[in-house]
Amino acid sequence: MAEFFPEISQPIQFEGKDSRNPLSFRYYDANAMINGKTMADHLRFSVAYWHSFKGTGADTFGDGTFSRSWRNAGNPLTESEQTLDAAFEFFSKLGVGYYCFHDRDLAPEGASFAESCRNLEHMVKKAAAKQRETGIKLLWGTANLFGHPRYAHGAATNPDAHVFAYAAAQVRHAIAATRELGGENYVFWGGREGYESLINTDMKREQDNLARFFHLAVDYAKSIGFTGQFLIEPKPMEPTKHQYDFDAATVLSFLRSYDLLDHFKLNIEANHATLAGHSFDHDLAIASQAGKLGSVDANRGDLLLGWDTDQFPNDLGEAVRAMLIILHQGGLGSGGLNFDARLRRGSTDLVDLFHAHIGGMDTFARGLIIAQKIIDEGVFSDFVKNRYASYDSGIGSKITAGDTSFEELERFVLQNGEPALISGKQEMLENIFRSYL
Ligand code: XLS
Ligand code: NI
Ligand code: NI
């Protein structure tokens, strides 16, 4: 079989932090144990098929810039087979355990719906064989419900019931494919589930339909015995101006209102959180405190740009803050850290794919090591615990227990007078945090 990455003759190795070899891991040591679990099990890294194998480097101002040898077959199905071979060669040489795909990344859209389904089925068989050969697993599958012109006005939220039906049929096959490949999760990112203008939109009906769609998906998964976790990936804008799955809080409230909360968790993407005006760790924390942090799309945006730049993560402080939340909740369960990230248009060397993922993996590996140290040393957790200690005794414990009244609280104030102002010590704590990096 043709080799697609001949420059990389052997899997990327862990060489330690003093290594000057840019094609080695300096922190990610897959089998190293951290608090009773290997790094690989903590981090569950995954490669995004769409960016790394289907991405061309094209943007709105210009054509693709990446020349890839798996893309020259002429025939779409042969090209998909070559792409799959290249992808699994890459996963193996990089040393990741997981990958994620959209149905239309893995297999080409056909001339009819039936042909698209046959293409997908054909590629699922091939992918299953690759998974068996390499031991690499599917973190999640999803359906592309945003690329084709039929979805210009949305999929499940389309004003046309015919399009709703089409999307349902497509998702039915995408869930079946995910099940066939042992996918541990299935993601719904509401590609064009949103709107541009209220002048032509019945928002209530669109949101009701989105909930109906999710209920149908839950029923279908049950009927075929798919036990993977359903995840919704919030995003506030782009492609539509108002996306219905704005952020973690919005999605949680949507799930609660439509009686869907038991069936879903969230897939939090760093650059989506920042587009919503939050920090990455804010949205992780909102999801986690609701018991709903299921998986993570690990990337980063650019502070100066207001769109989803999908850059590879390289901010250590951000990775530490993310890993603190993940460790606090005892890991991601069936989820993982999926690099939903793409090379810059000008990063045209094939080997840049390795540099990008190595950087992301090392950033999170280092983030994991530091976060575990911070937890072990307990500095911040002790501080936070003390900061709220007044709620654990006296009048505070009555507030906590819901066992008081405005009258009693007023009596407390009359007896105790003005509360003392207590420092939040933010600068001191930020200095301590920095000292761990
Ligand atoms: C787009 C999303 C998308 C999802 C999968 O912004 O991040 O890539 O992760 O459909
Ligand atoms: Ni994503
Ligand atoms: Ni995104």
Side-chain angles (χ1 to χ4, degrees):
M1 194 191 354
E3 219 186 332
F4 294 94
F5 298 92
E7 285 169 79
I8 309 295
S9 52
Q10 55 159 21
I12 304 296
Q13 303 292 317
F14 168 71
E15 291 183 8
K17 71 174 173 28
D18 296 325
S19 171
R20 290 289 172 264
N21 172 10
L23 287 169
S24 71
F25 294 118
R26 296 168 66 230
Y27 296 92
Y28 182 60
D29 183 3
N31 296 315
M33 299 296 285
I34 304 236
N35 197 23
K37 230 159 89 172
T38 64
M39 270 199 181
D41 285 345
H42 274 287
L43 298 163
R44 296 166 59 86
F45 288 130
S46 153
V47 172
Y49 208 90
W50 52 103
H51 287 311
S52 290
F53 296 94
K54 302 293 289 181
T56 62
D59 67 13
T60 35
F61 300 97
D63 296 343
T65 52
F66 303 156
S67 126
R68 303 297 195 220
S69 56
W70 56 85
R71 204 174 283 142
N72 58 10
N75 159 332
L77 214 50
T78 313
E79 180 161 322
S80 292
E81 290 172 6
Q82 285 185 181
T83 305
L84 186 80
D85 290 342
F88 274 81
E89 183 187 329
F90 178 79
F91 305 154
S92 304
K93 288 183 169 175
L94 181 64
V96 286
Y98 294 90
Y99 72 112
C100 296
F101 64 73
H102 299 89
D103 49 359
R104 301 299 180 246
D105 304 332
L106 196 66
E109 176 118 17
S112 65
F113 181 70
E115 188 183 323
S116 299
C117 294
R118 278 196 302 276
N119 288 348
L120 183 61
E121 189 47 37
H122 174 81
M123 289 307 301
V124 163
K125 295 238 151 56
K126 300 262 171 204
K130 284 280 170 195
Q131 289 185 200
R132 274 195 303 275
E133 232 170 77
T134 59
I136 289 157
K137 298 192 244 172
L138 179 62
L139 185 67
W140 48 262
T142 186
N144 181 328
L145 302 178
F146 45 89
H148 192 279
R150 81 177 69 87
Y151 296 125
H153 302 289
T157 63
N158 199 291
D160 181 357
H162 191 151
V163 180
F164 182 105
Y166 204 109
Q170 191 181 331
V171 167
R172 173 170 185 261
H173 286 265
I175 294 175
T178 303
R179 191 193 80 130
E180 218 168 310
L181 292 171
E184 298 185 30
N185 309 269
Y186 182 89
V187 164
F188 294 87
W189 166 59
R192 293 186 193 272
E193 312 297 22
Y195 72 94
E196 293 293 324
S197 169
L198 281 179
I199 211 155
N200 62 3
T201 302
D202 181 345
M203 180 157 54
K204 172 81 167 66
R205 190 191 273 253
E206 292 199 359
Q207 293 197 338
D208 288 351
N209 281 342
L210 185 57
R212 290 183 181 109
F213 194 89
F214 288 142
H215 276 290
L216 289 167
V218 168
D219 293 346
Y220 173 67
K222 209 178 199 179
S223 76
I224 63 164
F226 174 64
T227 53
Q229 175 67 53
F230 271 174
L231 299 167
I232 294 184
E233 181 176 320
K235 184 174 183 178
M237 62 193 75
E238 195 208 25
T240 75
K241 180 174 167 181
H242 299 278
Q243 294 275 141
Y244 294 133
D245 298 332
F246 189 90
D247 61 0
T250 308
V251 172
L252 288 171
S253 136
F254 175 90
L255 292 172
R256 224 171 259 127
S257 329
Y258 287 101
D259 198 19
L260 286 160
L261 199 57
D262 289 347
H263 306 287
F264 289 83
K265 287 189 174 180
L266 306 189
N267 181 38
I268 300 296
E269 177 163 322
N271 200 174
H272 295 179
T274 50
L275 281 176
H278 305 308
S279 60
F280 179 28
D281 57 334
H282 171 86
D283 248 28
L284 290 172
I286 291 282
S288 183
Q289 73 192 27
K292 292 291 171 186
L293 175 56
S295 201
V296 172
D297 272 5
N299 62 11
R300 85 186 137 100
D302 183 309
L303 282 181
L304 302 182
L305 302 176
W307 66 88
D308 202 10
T309 63
D310 284 330
Q311 288 166 254
F312 279 84
N314 71 355
D315 180 331
L316 180 60
E318 190 162 79
V320 172
R321 286 188 288 273
M323 289 313 302
L324 279 170
I325 293 165
I326 292 168
L327 289 174
H328 269 132
Q329 70 164 33
L332 287 169
S334 66
L337 297 175
N338 171 48
F339 292 112
D340 192 353
R342 64 195 147 90
L343 293 176
R344 297 309 85 195
R345 173 177 165 75
S347 302
T348 48
D349 290 345
L350 199 52
V351 72
D352 291 330
L353 270 179
F354 280 91
H355 292 301
H357 284 88
I358 289 170
M361 291 163 78
D362 260 352
T363 301
F364 270 89
R366 204 172 165 193
L368 165 66
I369 297 166
I370 294 173
Q372 185 61 50
K373 188 157 188 259
I374 288 176
I375 290 172
D376 291 344
E377 297 182 1
V379 184
F380 302 103
S381 51
D382 288 353
F383 183 88
V384 172
K385 191 159 182 269
N386 282 331
R387 195 169 182 218
Y388 295 87
S390 64
Y391 287 94
D392 297 333
S393 64
I395 193 69
S397 61
K398 290 188 140 189
I399 296 172
T400 304
D403 179 24
T404 186
S405 64
F406 271 9
E407 289 75 13
E408 185 183 25
L409 293 168
E410 183 177 353
R411 278 197 300 282
F412 176 86
V413 169
L414 290 171
Q415 273 158 27
N416 292 276
E418 189 63 24
L421 191 48
I422 304 168
S423 173
K425 293 276 175 222
Q426 186 176 329
E427 293 78 1
M428 180 194 80
L429 293 165
E430 283 170 349
N431 294 348
I432 297 174
F433 184 83
R434 267 225 68 84
S435 74
Y436 280 93
L437 302 189

